[in-house]
């Protein structure tokens, strides 16, 4: 089988598993959107998924996305591109210009830079706040106890309209308490979107309310090497 056939087979399996989880857990069919995480893969790998109708993609680096996506978007204008990696405030202009959804607001300085750029460019990507649900020192995101304050700051001081929250649970822990915590913070702040669940745990995330699942290796294969 060619590599693009492998990718298409795995994409179909992931779509089927999302549909299955929506059914199993009483979610409305189509409620959960697949963010196909294409970081570290080039156009050869991405094109078959576009041809198969996939339109929502996630990238974790602004520069890598700038290299890959303008050309692909010439051919597929309805692509929805998500930034799922940390944003530096000095890259806010590029990020606001390129991405349709920025999932990783995680500091007042970054939020302020994004707010300034949305005004300047007249372009408003959907915005989500990354929560460091495991309070891991090396991981980006707002600590759970600071979430309500940061969300309030974004809304009231910076005038940002937020659509949801995202998290990356600690690798060695059971993900369910982290997903449940994210859902709870979103609920009490009136935020509708939850970006949670990756290749290894997305059915669980769907059970706990995910509206976006971010899936890379289950579609494209291993990123190592
Ligand atoms: C790489 C990445 C993913 C995808 O992870 P897989 O385990 O390959 O599905 C999801 N979310 C973020 C933030 C990532 O950086």
């Amino acid at each position: 089988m060619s590599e693009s056939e492998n990718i298409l087979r795995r994409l179909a399996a992931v779509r089927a598993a999302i549909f299955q989880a929506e059914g199993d857990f009483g979610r409305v069919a189509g409620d959960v959107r697949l963010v196909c995480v294409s970081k570290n893969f080039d156009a050869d790998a991405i094109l078959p998924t576009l041809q198969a109708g996939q339109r929502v993609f996630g990238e974790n680096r602004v520069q890598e996305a700038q290299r890959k996506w303008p050309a692909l978007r010439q051919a597929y204008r309805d692509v929805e591109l998500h930034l799922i990696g940390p944003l530096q405030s000095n890259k806010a202009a590029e990020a606001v210009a390129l991405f349709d959804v920025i999932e990783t607001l995680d500091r007042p300085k970054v939020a302020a830079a994004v707010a300034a750029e949305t005004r300047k460019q007249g372009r408003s990507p959907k915005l989500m706040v990354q929560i460091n649900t495991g309070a891991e020192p090396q991981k980006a995101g707002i600590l759970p106890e600071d979430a309500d304050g940061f969300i309030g700051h974004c809304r009231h001081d910076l005038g940002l309209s937020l659509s949801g929250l995202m998290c990356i649970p600690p690798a060695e822990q059971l993900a369910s308490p982290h997903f449940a915590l994210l859902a709870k913070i979103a609920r009490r702040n009136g935020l509708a979107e939850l970006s949670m669940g990756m290749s290894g745990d997305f059915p669980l995330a769907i059970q706990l309310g995910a509206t976006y699942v971010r899936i890379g290796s289950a579609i494209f294969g291993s990123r190592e090497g």
Side-chain angles (χ1 to χ4, degrees), residues 84-99:
I84 61 170
L87 177 59
Q88 309 300 324
S89 50
N90 64 6
K91 290 273 182 350
E94 286 97 325
V96 167
L98 181 64
F99 289 95

Side-chain angles (χ1 to χ4, degrees), residues 37 39 60 84 166 168 198-200 214-218 223:
V37 176
K39 66 184 185 196
N60 68 334
I84 61 170
M166 78 86 90
I168 310 169
M198 318 202 307
S199 292
R214 309 179 308 268
I215 301 180
S217 50
R223 284 181 296 272

Side-chain angles (χ1 to χ4, degrees), residues 1-216:
M1 228 189 264
S2 75
E3 189 47 29
S4 75
E5 285 170 324
N6 281 329
I7 290 170
L8 287 179
R9 187 175 43 77
R10 291 189 295 247
L11 174 63
V14 165
R15 284 177 172 164
I18 291 171
F19 183 77
Q20 175 79 40
E22 286 173 334
D24 288 350
F25 302 122
R27 303 287 308 274
V28 175
D31 223 24
V32 180
R33 280 145 300 160
L34 167 61
V35 181
C36 186
V37 176
S38 48
K39 66 184 185 196
N40 299 11
F41 286 91
D42 62 16
D44 289 351
I46 297 169
L47 268 171
T49 70
L50 284 163
Q51 285 155 359
Q54 178 64 29
R55 288 296 180 270
V56 184
F57 291 86
E59 291 283 347
N60 68 334
R61 291 206 183 88
V62 175
Q63 263 165 330
E64 180 182 344
Q66 276 179 317
R67 240 189 307 110
K68 285 169 15 185
W69 282 97
L72 291 167
R73 266 200 174 138
Q74 288 292 317
Y76 295 92
R77 292 183 182 274
D78 54 346
V79 157
E80 178 182 304
L81 199 56
H82 290 226
L83 178 63
I84 61 170
L87 177 59
Q88 309 300 324
S89 50
N90 64 6
K91 290 273 182 350
E94 286 97 325
V96 167
L98 181 64
F99 289 95
D100 304 292
V101 182
I102 296 175
E103 296 199 12
T104 50
L105 292 187
D106 65 354
R107 288 182 306 257
K109 193 176 170 196
V110 166
V114 166
E117 282 303 326
T118 56
R119 280 193 296 273
K120 197 162 134 194
Q121 297 183 28
R123 196 184 135 76
S124 302
K126 276 196 186 183
L127 301 174
M128 306 178 76
V129 174
Q130 180 173 357
I131 307 291
N132 186 357
T133 56
E136 295 173 277
Q138 81 288 5
K139 197 167 272 177
I142 297 285
L143 292 173
E145 62 264 34
D146 298 334
D148 296 1
F150 181 72
I151 291 164
H153 171 66
C154 288
R155 284 172 163 165
H156 305 124
D157 303 331
L158 302 175
L160 290 174
S161 166
L162 301 177
S163 58
L165 304 179
M166 78 86 90
C167 75
I168 310 169
E172 350 49 58
Q173 287 178 29
L174 209 61
S176 45
H178 298 276
F179 294 156
L181 176 60
L182 197 72
K184 187 174 151 192
I185 297 170
R187 209 177 311 117
R188 71 173 180 242
N189 284 284
L191 292 166
E193 306 281 6
L194 288 173
S195 174
M196 58 190 197
M198 318 202 307
S199 292
D201 56 16
F202 67 90
L204 183 62
I206 291 170
Q207 180 175 15
L208 292 167
T211 60
Y212 288 111
V213 290
R214 309 179 308 268
I215 301 180

